[in-house]
Amino acid sequence: MILVQLKGGLGNQMFQYAAGRTLAWQHDVPLFLDKDSYEPGQAAMYGLGGFHITASIAGEALIPRPGVLQKMFNRLAPASMRNVYREKHFHFDPAFFSLRPPIYLKGYWQSWKYFEPAKDQIREDFAFTTDFSPEIRGKAEALRSSNSVAMHFRRGDYTSTSAANYHGICAPEYYQKAAERYPGATFYIFTNDPAWVKDNLPQGIAYEILSGSLSSTQYEDLFLMSSCRHQVIANSSYSWWAAWLNRYEGKRVTAPKQWFVAEGLHADDLIPADWDRI
């Protein structure tokens, strides 16, 4: 059994699922998700129900409750002998692939390297189950057949003091430089703050704001973003997944070089080598 602690929003949960699913796939064991690790009142944040995932929700009996000695063992023992493994740092941990079931994974696991061995399976698992409207599906088809660029602005919760000091927010200058890399393209805007974004878009671009006008759910936004031929992503796991799920062979992805403003964190293992960072 592989058990994964879920925390954070949809993009974070997708990373957590992908890492756990890869270990379960490699060892041919079931995958369970601990969605009760959220603080009270956050249960609505569970977001994986809109995909074809292969996992079960863990009941209370499956959640390890280690005592003091077991906690010490899980800190000091080799990775292959632990039954709870907590992420050590943000960048890729090679010891991950020495883990053996049963294991409880606690972390964010935000690197494509954790699921590279099972990437085709992960793509299948993240196929949407949502019954999108004809308008949404029609727009997606139009995006796939044109020189379209999804541009994501993450604001909302990122504008709080604590989040701004940890993540930072991509400045208008980043989007201006990114837009210049896609001459002649039409930019499709996705954001949780359409009013602010409309006043801070790159100059001279052809654009259409889809969030809040055509799309109204996180699945609709993700589906349409991933349907564009190219992506300009924010420092957000949500738009990261939109770019990764994009199947267009000639796609170009532009990502911010500075993913965090907090010291001691880097995104070298988060951004695939064939994506541009500016």
Side-chain angles (χ1 to χ4, degrees):
M1 175 192 75
I2 305 296
L3 176 62
V4 177
Q5 181 189 56
L6 296 182
K7 53 185 176 180
L10 177 58
N12 288 331
Q13 293 176 43
M14 292 173 74
F15 273 111
Q16 292 150 18
Y17 172 86
R21 174 72 163 110
T22 299
L23 276 187
W25 175 79
Q26 287 184 318
H27 294 286
D28 194 23
V29 296
L31 174 64
F32 289 87
L33 306 177
D34 176 11
K35 73 179 184 69
D36 293 326
S37 56
Y38 285 113
E39 295 297 324
Q42 289 187 321
M45 291 184 68
Y46 175 71
L48 299 177
F51 301 116
H52 282 283
I53 64 170
T54 302
S56 301
I57 301 301
E60 178 66 22
L62 289 180
I63 311 302
R65 307 295 181 195
V68 175
L69 292 179
Q70 187 63 46
K71 288 181 179 179
M72 291 179 60
F73 178 82
N74 275 310
R75 284 198 298 267
L76 301 174
S80 60
M81 297 177 63
R82 301 183 196 184
N83 62 2
V84 176
Y85 195 77
R86 187 181 298 273
E87 187 177 40
K88 299 177 182 178
H89 41 63
F90 186 80
H91 49 280
F92 175 68
D93 178 7
F96 179 84
F97 287 109
S98 68
L99 300 175
R100 297 290 182 269
I103 190 77
Y104 182 25
L105 301 176
K106 290 188 168 188
Y108 286 96
W109 316 109
Q110 290 190 5
S111 173
W112 56 272
K113 295 180 180 180
Y114 288 119
F115 54 89
E116 177 68 10
K119 61 182 179 182
D120 293 336
Q121 183 61 62
I122 299 303
R123 288 189 184 279
E124 291 183 19
D125 290 2
F126 285 152
F128 295 93
T129 60
T130 305
D131 186 17
F132 295 116
S133 69
E135 291 77 15
I136 293 290
R137 292 199 175 276
K139 189 64 173 182
E141 184 58 35
L143 296 174
R144 294 188 197 103
S145 59
S146 65
N147 189 17
S148 57
V149 180
M151 181 174 277
H152 181 230
F153 291 77
R154 175 72 177 269
R155 289 183 56 77
D157 56 329
Y158 269 30
T159 62
S160 70
T161 300
S162 59
N165 290 337
Y166 184 81
H167 294 284
I169 300 177
C170 293
E173 292 78 14
Y174 162 70
Y175 292 101
Q176 184 67 51
K177 291 179 181 178
E180 292 168 0
R181 294 170 172 248
Y182 303 90
T186 299
F187 293 83
Y188 295 89
I189 311 303
F190 300 88
T191 180
N192 51 3
D193 192 352
W196 183 93
V197 167
K198 190 172 183 179
D199 293 331
N200 291 274
L201 285 170
Q203 296 181 359
I205 65 169
Y207 72 90
E208 182 179 352
I209 299 177
L210 295 184
S211 295
S213 56
L214 177 62
S215 57
S216 58
T217 71
Q218 60 182 353
Y219 295 120
E220 289 175 345
D221 268 7
L222 187 63
F223 175 60
L224 291 174
M225 274 197 285
S226 65
S227 297
C228 290
R229 287 192 171 184
H230 312 286
Q231 279 79 26
V232 174
I233 69 174
N235 54 337
S236 163
S237 58
Y238 182 62
S239 51
W240 188 101
W241 277 105
W244 192 85
L245 291 173
N246 175 7
R247 293 177 177 268
Y248 180 60
E249 291 185 1
K251 74 178 179 183
R252 290 186 60 192
V253 180
T254 301
K257 185 174 294 185
Q258 185 177 39
W259 197 266
F260 299 104
V261 296
E263 294 184 2
L265 298 172
H266 66 75
D268 293 350
D269 295 328
L270 173 62
I271 307 301
D274 58 346
W275 293 10
D276 300 324
R277 299 181 67 182
I278 62 174

